[in-house]
Amino acid sequence: KRNFVTTKKTYKDIIKEIEVLISQFEEELQALYTEKAKQVIPLEAEWVSNHSNQNNFVIPSALVATVLFTPVLTNSDYKAAIKKQVENIRQSIESSIRTAYLTKEPLTSTEERINKRKEKIVKQLETGTRTLNTSLFRATDSALFRANKQKMIYISMLDSGTCFVCGSYHGEVFDSDNAPGIPMHDNCRCFLMPLLDDNSELEFDSYSDWIDSLDDEELLDVMGKGRYELYKNGVPVSAFVENDEIITVKDLKKRWNH
């Protein structure tokens, strides 16, 4: 029944130790990811080049650096994305220790809380890793397409897991210099496909067409009750998004007088 954090000094010492461990973890994660990037990016570039029907396909000499400095979601680059991910872990762990100190709870209770946080942390790391890996390949492809001045088609996975923002871009063709950044969000599955001679005639159903093809049960699964009711009352799915932001049900009702 002994308390885990009994004094203010103990609390400060533990927090200090956590800071050191988290800092070491971040350094190791940054080094690991940079090393992986240096290995994966040239391989992806070689694959794209071999499957391109463009003569004199260009692979930029500074491709690795270009990709590593590509924005990831709301972060400035991969390093910032990893730093933010690690910072969230630090805050989560320190919150558990702070609670233990303030409530003077038994060691068993603190261990139970930390173990629960550990499960969430592992899930956060898995999500963050998937997003970073997706970013690595997508940023490599985008850099190659831009270097070779290729038009790109935005491809979304049309299912219940597709967000309205990603869906709104599906099938659109972009010049190499103005294509949107991918991934759009954590666990984003979208990708940019180069518009080449052998796929230039491809036609894609729009997100709105796909939505229109769903039955009521599927629509509820995709939209949720609020948006489903608005859609059935004449609000087009295209109205659900503005400037890459999903409009809330409350705002949609105001805009469409529902």
Side-chain angles (χ1 to χ4, degrees), residues 58-95:
V58 176
I59 298 179
S61 58
L63 181 60
V64 173
T66 299
V67 172
L68 287 177
F69 282 99
T70 298
V72 180
L73 301 182
T74 57
N75 301 285
S76 57
D77 55 28
Y78 289 84
K79 187 174 182 179
I82 291 174
K83 190 174 187 66
K84 181 179 179 181
Q85 188 175 343
V86 173
E87 175 62 16
N88 290 337
I89 294 172
R90 182 192 67 77
Q91 291 178 358
S92 179
I93 296 174
E94 288 189 1
S95 176

Side-chain angles (χ1 to χ4, degrees), residues 164 223 226-227 230 235 239-242 245-256 258:
F164 297 116
M223 297 183 171
R227 287 188 176 82
L230 288 168
V235 180
F240 292 0
V241 174
E242 184 176 79
E245 295 288 340
I246 298 175
I247 308 301
T248 65
V249 172
K250 182 178 179 180
D251 285 342
L252 283 170
K253 287 181 178 180
K254 288 182 179 178
R255 294 184 183 191
W256 290 82
H258 284 285

